[in-house]
């Protein structure tokens, strides 16, 4: 069960890391700091999946963040199911 808790904690930390990349009051400056142009027509922002775009090809949130969150949460579900099955089959362990 500790593994499931660790996986959920890691998912929250990863979400926080990705969210911190979105916290810029001026999107144009944040895009320019990364060598990208800001296109108001292509701009979108969302909390799930984490996204804050500069243009059609560049997102301020790194591309590994959303898949990592999903994988960690799936791992937590699997580890919880394994812990529940162990407890049902062999009693308290």
């Amino acid at each position: 069960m500790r593994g499931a808790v660790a996986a959920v904690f890691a998912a929250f930390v990863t979400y926080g890391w990705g969210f911190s990349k979105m916290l810029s009051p001026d999107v144009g400056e944040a895009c320019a700091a990364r060598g990208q142009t800001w296109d108001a027509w292509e701009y979108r922002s969302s909390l799930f999946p984490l996204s804050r775009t500069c243009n059609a090809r560049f997102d301020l949130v790194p591309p590994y963040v959303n898949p990592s969150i999903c994988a960690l949460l799936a791992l937590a579900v699997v580890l919880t199911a394994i812990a529940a099955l162990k407890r049902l089959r062999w009693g308290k362990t």
Side-chain angles (χ1 to χ4, degrees), residues 4-83:
V5 172
V8 171
F9 178 74
F12 278 115
V13 169
T14 305
Y15 187 89
W17 171 258
F19 186 75
S20 72
K21 300 300 180 183
M22 296 175 59
L23 295 178
S24 175
D26 186 3
V27 180
E29 285 182 17
C31 294
R34 290 170 178 81
Q36 297 292 321
T37 58
W38 183 64
D39 183 3
W41 292 101
E42 297 291 334
Y43 174 76
R44 67 180 172 86
S45 181
S46 69
L47 293 177
F48 191 80
L50 282 173
S51 178
R52 192 165 192 190
T53 59
C54 289
N55 52 48
R57 295 179 313 272
F58 189 79
D59 196 334
L60 291 173
V61 178
Y64 60 83
V65 171
N66 290 311
S68 297
I69 293 168
C70 292
L72 287 166
L73 292 176
L75 177 64
V77 168
V78 168
L79 292 175
T80 301
I82 290 171

